Amino acid sequence: MDELRSKLFYEQKNGYDLIDTAQRLEAENYAKAYMDYLNRSRTEREAVDNAIAMAQEQGFVPYVPGMPLEPGMKVYKNNRGKALILAVIGKRPLSEGAVIAGAHVDSPRLDLKQVTMYESDELCYFKTHYYGGIKKYQWVTIPLELHGVVALKSGELVQVCIGREADEPKFVITDLLPHLAQDQMKKTMAEGITGEGLNILIGSAPYADEGKDRVKLAVMSLLHDSYGITEEDFLSAELTAVPAFDVCEIGLDRSLIGGYGHDDRVCAFAELKAILELQIPEKTAVCILADKEETGSDGVSGMQSAAFDCFMEDLCQTQGVALRRCYENSFCLSADVSAAYDPLYPEVSDKRNGSKINYGMAVEKYTGARGKSGTSDASAEVVAYLRRLFAENGVVWQMGSLGKVDQGGGGTIAKFMAKRNIDTIDAGVPVLSMHAPFEVVSKFDCYMTYKGVLAAYQDK
Ligand code: MN
Ligand code: MN
């Protein structure tokens, strides 16, 4: 019976039971490199800058339309500093398709409004508008740091980063003390902290003179001294407050990684690491670090933008290939995180179909909500292809799904790739506390996701 059972039943194993010491060590080293990247990549702009620096070290050069493309050539296209496409030209022509992996490097955060600074009762604040899906109560009483750019009228771009270094000041949104919160505590968690209430405390010491807004004047003077900016310059700024937590190991066994922005820089790094290792792939390998996924992939740096098509069309043109031919023969791994099954909240999941920590790269055939609405739903054939690919390459993987039926839902860039007539499937790292200021992933799953993307890139 045991024999028959193991032959006929689908049984999942914990990833740690499937790898040897050498692989564990490799996963450990991989995790270290990822943690370093995540620590330095707090915004999509920083994630792109750091990716370009890593790519250049491996011989990637900026793509120039019309440049000759030999197999093994490594090029990249920087989309306005906020999204990035890298490609390694394959042996086979693009008419046979490309292997694409697409992750996003934007994460939920608090963007400063354009008229952001104000003083109230001798304390100074930044007003914010949150970006992406957040539980607002999670963003108060945690240290925040400020990142982004101020674009001056002159065309000059001023880089801002305050709070990343240990000796730099941080920022915070205050909350009521429990003693006086009895009315607040009666509200729902969605209502207890409001969007308009997410104002960041940035100063308290007044300017040594008389008049109004003395604290604001003092803070603005500091900003002017450091960055040469005035209040009007905020109108053309993209400044964002992100959690000021360092990326760190979690657990006595150090098997997990805690940090801000795993979704989806954890998959972006996996793709990046994989494409940087390629020599001459069979098919052209393409790595996308997209922006704007958390707000619906709209915008010029999101995956609904034609920026990707322009880049691919340029490559195709050089080889005398029609873009539509390339697309219909291409394959895309939409590398995005999945919601890990959380034993503390079992009620929202279907345990059989949810992804689990340490069970490997999580493949989601579909996402969406309410009867699979808004998902590209990969075909059985595409899933079968991954089963074969991962089996042949020792990639530990599992199926995943976004919660139990009718519990909620969500989406990724997958449907926008499928819309281009590209076979696409979601696969990535399971995450605990997704979209929280401090998310958790497992080293094992991170490593397996990298191996999964690498296997796709290297497939014959
Ligand atoms: Mn995501
Ligand atoms: Mn997300």
Side-chain angles (χ1 to χ4, degrees):
M1 244 177 88
D2 277 353
E3 204 177 309
L4 194 62
R5 194 176 282 121
S6 69
K7 183 182 166 192
L8 296 182
F9 284 4
Y10 169 58
E11 207 192 330
Q12 289 181 274
K13 287 206 175 84
N14 188 301
Y16 278 94
D17 296 329
L18 299 169
I19 55 166
D20 55 23
T21 316
Q23 272 194 300
R24 244 181 115 146
L25 209 66
E26 231 177 284
E28 206 58 54
N29 289 332
Y30 175 84
K32 274 202 187 74
Y34 167 57
M35 289 169 70
D36 175 57
Y37 176 77
L38 185 63
N39 235 347
R40 294 181 294 118
S41 308
R42 321 289 287 187
T43 63
E44 69 279 358
R45 286 179 191 267
E46 292 172 1
V48 165
D49 287 347
N50 292 330
I52 290 175
M54 287 164 64
Q56 284 175 338
E57 254 173 55
Q58 298 305 316
F60 280 74
V61 295
Y63 176 70
V64 182
M67 73 197 291
L69 297 170
E70 297 302 318
M73 255 194 88
K74 300 169 175 189
V75 295
Y76 69 85
K77 171 76 186 175
N78 176 351
N79 183 1
R80 299 164 171 89
K82 298 177 58 125
L84 180 69
I85 312 169
L86 305 110
V88 180
I89 307 304
K91 285 180 207 153
R92 295 206 235 152
L94 281 161
S95 52
E96 295 185 34
V99 179
I100 303 160
H104 65 93
V105 286
D106 60 317
S107 298
R109 64 191 189 224
L110 304 177
D111 286 343
L112 301 198
K113 290 193 182 191
Q114 301 324 119
V115 180
T116 187
M117 201 191 274
Y118 75 99
E119 178 174 333
S120 177
D121 300 292
E122 293 169 275
L123 292 175
C124 194
Y125 297 91
F126 279 145
K127 291 192 72 64
T128 69
H129 194 143
Y130 65 97
Y131 173 99
I134 63 165
K135 292 160 90 174
K136 299 181 188 86
Y137 69 85
Q138 293 178 331
W139 292 74
V140 298
T141 67
I142 60 168
L144 299 168
E145 51 191 47
L146 198 65
H147 293 243
V149 298
V150 182
L152 303 181
K153 259 196 294 195
S154 64
E156 192 197 332
L157 203 62
V158 179
Q159 304 281 345
V160 175
C161 181
I162 309 170
R164 185 81 288 266
E165 300 302 324
D167 59 348
E168 287 178 342
K170 318 261 190 280
F171 310 93
V172 74
I173 298 169
T174 54
D175 193 4
L176 268 179
L177 62 169
H179 317 63
L180 300 179
Q182 52 176 330
D183 292 338
Q184 181 198 39
M185 298 285 271
K186 284 182 199 138
K187 295 180 185 171
T188 65
M189 285 163 97
E191 292 162 342
I193 302 289
T194 63
E196 283 292 348
L198 292 173
N199 300 320
I200 302 171
L201 184 59
I202 56 166
S204 70
Y207 199 89
D209 203 345
E210 285 177 26
K212 72 179 194 60
D213 286 349
R214 293 194 305 150
V215 178
K216 178 176 165 181
L217 186 61
V219 171
M220 201 59 238
S221 300
L222 287 172
L223 283 171
H224 186 259
D225 290 348
S226 302
Y227 298 99
I229 58 172
T230 65
E231 190 184 7
E232 190 182 332
D233 293 323
F234 283 120
L235 300 182
S236 52
E238 276 181 358
L239 293 169
T240 190
V242 300
F245 306 131
D246 282 342
V247 179
C248 64
E249 294 175 310
I250 295 285
L252 286 171
D253 58 8
R254 299 170 182 262
S255 61
L256 305 159
I257 305 171
Y260 162 70
H262 285 312
D263 178 8
D264 182 33
R265 292 163 197 150
V266 69
C267 295
F269 184 78
E271 289 179 2
L272 193 60
K273 187 90 171 29
I275 202 163
L276 296 191
E277 282 173 23
L278 297 180
Q279 295 305 317
I280 308 179
E282 202 65 24
K283 290 184 179 179
T284 295
V286 179
C287 168
I288 303 170
L289 307 192
D291 181 29
K292 294 276 179 277
E293 193 278 339
E294 296 295 0
T295 51
S297 296
D298 301 292
V300 77
S301 47
M303 279 322 289
Q304 297 201 64
S305 149
F308 176 71
D309 309 292
C310 290
F311 175 76
M312 291 303 291
E313 188 160 14
D314 280 346
L315 295 189
C316 284
Q317 235 163 34
T318 304
Q319 296 192 354
V321 169
L323 178 67
R324 61 181 189 277
R325 252 329 69 68
C326 172
Y327 277 0
E328 77 178 353
N329 291 318
S330 290
F331 169 68
C332 177
L333 265 182
S334 162
D336 208 341
V337 296
S338 84
Y341 173 80
D342 190 333
L344 297 186
Y345 306 94
E347 64 277 8
V348 302
S349 302
D350 164 13
K351 198 171 174 181
R352 275 191 187 81
N353 283 282
S355 60
K356 292 199 285 290
I357 290 291
N358 288 332
Y359 277 69
M361 188 179 196
V363 174
E364 296 200 1
K365 185 176 181 297
Y366 53 85
T367 56
R370 299 173 310 279
K372 297 193 180 180
S373 267
T375 177
S376 47
D377 200 356
S379 70
E381 290 87 338
V382 169
V383 182
Y385 164 67
L386 279 191
R387 286 176 61 195
R388 176 178 68 72
L389 180 74
F390 289 168
E392 284 173 1
N393 291 280
V395 178
V396 179
W397 70 285
Q398 57 183 328
M399 292 302 293
S401 67
L402 192 49
K404 67 183 186 189
V405 178
D406 285 340
Q407 183 68 41
T412 64
I413 65 159
K415 64 175 175 180
F416 305 115
M417 301 308 286
K419 210 174 186 176
R420 296 179 159 101
N421 196 22
I422 299 171
D423 265 318
T424 305
I425 187 163
D426 281 304
V429 178
V431 179
L432 291 168
S433 309
M434 195 197 291
H435 282 209
F438 192 76
E439 305 172 310
V440 175
V441 295
S442 97
K443 290 178 178 175
F444 177 84
D445 299 329
C446 294
Y447 173 64
M448 280 302 157
T449 298
Y450 146 74
K451 279 192 59 159
V453 178
L454 187 63
Y457 280 151
Q458 291 179 330
D459 194 26
K460 302 290 172 202

